[in-house]
Amino acid sequence: MCLVLTLTLGCDGAAVLPRQSIASTAGTGAQSIVSLWKSVSNPLPSSSGTVPDLTVTGNYYTTPKSPNPLLRSTGILAKRLTFLYGTPLAGGPYFPTGVLGFEKVAADVAYIEATEFPPVLAGTLLDDTQATADYSKYNDLETVADYTKLYSNECRNQLPSGPAPGAETNYTEDLFFSMERLSNSPYQVRRLNPTSDTLAFTIADNIAQNLTGRTLNQLFQAGRLFYADYRDQGELTRTDRYAAACDAYFYIDPSSAKFLPLAIRSNYGANLIYTPADDAADWILAKIVFNVNDFWFAQWNHLAATHEVVQIAYMAAIRTLSEEHPVQAMLNRLMFEVFAVQPLAQTVLFDPGAAVDLTFAYTGQAAQDYSTDYYQNKGSGRFVDNYFQTDLQRRGLINCTYGPALSHFPFYEDGTVIWNAINTFMTSFVQSYYSSDSAVDADSELQAWAKEANGPAEAIDFPTSISSRSTLIATLTHFAHLVSISHHTVNTNELLSLSSTLPFHPTALYAPLPTIKGNTSVVDFLPPFDKVLEQLTLTALFARPQFVGTNRTLMHMFDDQAMLGKMNAQTRSAASAFMSSMQAFSSQVSGRTFGSDGLSQGMPFIWQALDPNVAPFSLTT
Ligand SMILES: *[C@@H]1O[C@H](CO)[C@@H](O)[C@H](O)[C@H]1NC(C)=O
Ligand SMILES: *[C@@H]1O[C@H](CO)[C@@H](O)[C@H](O)[C@H]1NC(C)=O
Ligand SMILES: *[C@@H]1O[C@H](CO)[C@@H](O)[C@H](O)[C@H]1NC(C)=O
Ligand SMILES: *[C@@H]1O[C@H](CO)[C@@H](O)[C@H](O)[C@H]1NC(C)=O
Ligand SMILES: *[C@@H]1O[C@H](CO)[C@@H](O)[C@H](O)[C@H]1NC(C)=O
Ligand SMILES: [Fe+2]
């Protein structure tokens, strides 16, 4: 890490780092992705006028019944006049505009560029240079197994401990593939309800019976059948790479109680349906084909489901809550750098010729449209409806009344520990400022926030009023959940360490899908070396190993001395209790090993994405 920091201070990226390129084309795409990253700037036209002074003048945050009401409403009015709803950027909801809007976006972009990107860019470029120099190690990527060599003592700046243990040794296990739906990519799979769902496709009874001891319909009737559906990717605009539009069944095995894959249908070309009864090569290809669709969904949905949901609710808060308000102070902390992301998504990912066009099977414009469709029309933009337990229960993953419980659910297990700690903190915080529900109801600024969010901001499914302590606690807990648990499960360090690890998770296929089974060479579908470097570079830019052990991690979520100094003793004590509980959880997560069965949390890999001493406290890119 020191090496990285030293280099960073002395250089400005690609130009000064040596490149010992083997293949002449290798690395050019990787470098261009880095260049895009460096070119991000405030996208808004600078507008003239006076930026309101947002300095908190009092010694303590106060709710609006307190002194100085005139000053307070003048401050809010100044924000309302200068922080405006502008055209969406990179899709989704409104993006800030106006003098204050410009100022806030510019500040977030400038901060992220000055403090966060330099070590990330330097680490990524060093890794890229090293990977290129070590080309002879990879045996020309002639076999699928050669792709695991890409991680042997590689990527060590942006991935200091290497890939998630098991990711490069156990990826052929069916349990590896299925348990990813319950850990690092948990937002698509749902249990089928025999009273309200129908089967999208069938597989022969004797095949299902051979694999599971039951027919497909028997599994379905018993509430043991699960489904993931990516058919909506079939119509997207393609690049010159390939992808299918899979849907797939998973099931809880009647004898082992394990959650396993049962069938994958490609919905593309010959529309083959694969099962574990197929040849090994066909079946692993089917899982890779599914993973391409899954990665697409996980990434473009996360923009809609986390960044954009909190962005618009926060914008409504800025226009209605005084900067003196403790809730505004809390949101200011949780929304750290929030406005830097859409400009970055536009420039680095979605623009013509940018990273999506370079590395995915569909275009950058398709990615943006797909993301916005999930935000606006497919439920990801909804606030209350996506509360942690509400979402999981709706999908039949917890508290299911018509089928057996999952024996392991790592996303829920780890998420619950953190969610409970956040909720406990928010309960103390809210109770310390509001002695009753009627005190919340009497807070005119909170009422204005809910009205604004549901009115001009057009936030989706935000609470229609915030008139009880429990509603305020739930609202704030969900903000904190989205910026931490929800986001870092599918993004940040997790991309490079697990969900885009090769050979199992390419961002696109490099050959058209087979039209028959039994003639499959899996390696033909995997990226060539220059595309490998692009995928590694792109995902490395999202990693934040530099945060480990610093006050940017989750355990420091409320450890903002400037904020706590203006809060009450009860909140300060809740913040330190949060930190202790997260420290304890970090010890548990970082100490995970494989059991004698070769599993951790019921999975053949070790999942540590939510270690509170590693994952950030806020949204990152
Ligand atoms: C079921 O398994 C048996 C033995 O394991 C095998 O001979 C048979 O072909 C299988 N049937 C199907 C439909 O896969
Ligand atoms: C769901 O189940 C958990 C235990 O797994 C329980 O603690 C929780 O109260 C249940 N929630 C609901 C809404 O029933
Ligand atoms: C079998 O695969 C090879 C390439 O891997 C291809 O050239 C050939 O056409 C395939 N055969 C059939 C019958 O599809
Ligand atoms: C981290 O700590 C440093 C030094 O105390 C401080 O300047 C900085 O604002 C803190 N960062 C965050 C995000 O709290
Ligand atoms: C997974 O990989 C680890 C080594 O990386 C090994 O110890 C463990 O036994 C493997 N688990 C299974 C189920 O193969
Ligand atoms: Fe993100």
Side-chain angles (χ1 to χ4, degrees), residues 165-166 169-170 173 594 597-599 604:
T169 53
N170 301 349
E173 300 272 321
F594 288 111
D597 54 1
L599 306 177

Side-chain angles (χ1 to χ4, degrees), residues 204-211 275 277:
D205 283 351
N206 57 354
I207 293 181
Q209 274 165 331
N210 250 19
L211 293 167
T275 74

Side-chain angles (χ1 to χ4, degrees), residues 401-418:
T401 53
Y402 53 86
L406 292 162
S407 49
H408 294 277
F409 189 0
F411 169 65
Y412 181 59
E413 291 159 22
D414 286 13
T416 295
V417 176
I418 300 167

Side-chain angles (χ1 to χ4, degrees), residues 337-353:
E337 292 179 347
V338 73
F339 298 125
V341 173
Q342 300 296 113
L344 195 111
Q346 186 68 53
T347 309
V348 178
L349 301 170
F350 297 154
D351 273 350

Side-chain angles (χ1 to χ4, degrees), residues 175 179-180 182-183 408 410 594 598-607:
L175 196 56
M179 290 306 288
E180 286 195 283
L182 301 180
S183 55
H408 294 277
F594 288 111
L599 306 177
S600 163
Q601 297 181 288
M603 313 195 288
F605 57 95
I606 298 182
W607 193 56

Side-chain angles (χ1 to χ4, degrees), residues 48 97 109 117 276 359 465 526 532 560 595 610:
S48 59
T97 189
V109 170
F117 287 174
T359 55
S465 72
L526 297 178
V532 165
D560 175 343
L610 295 181

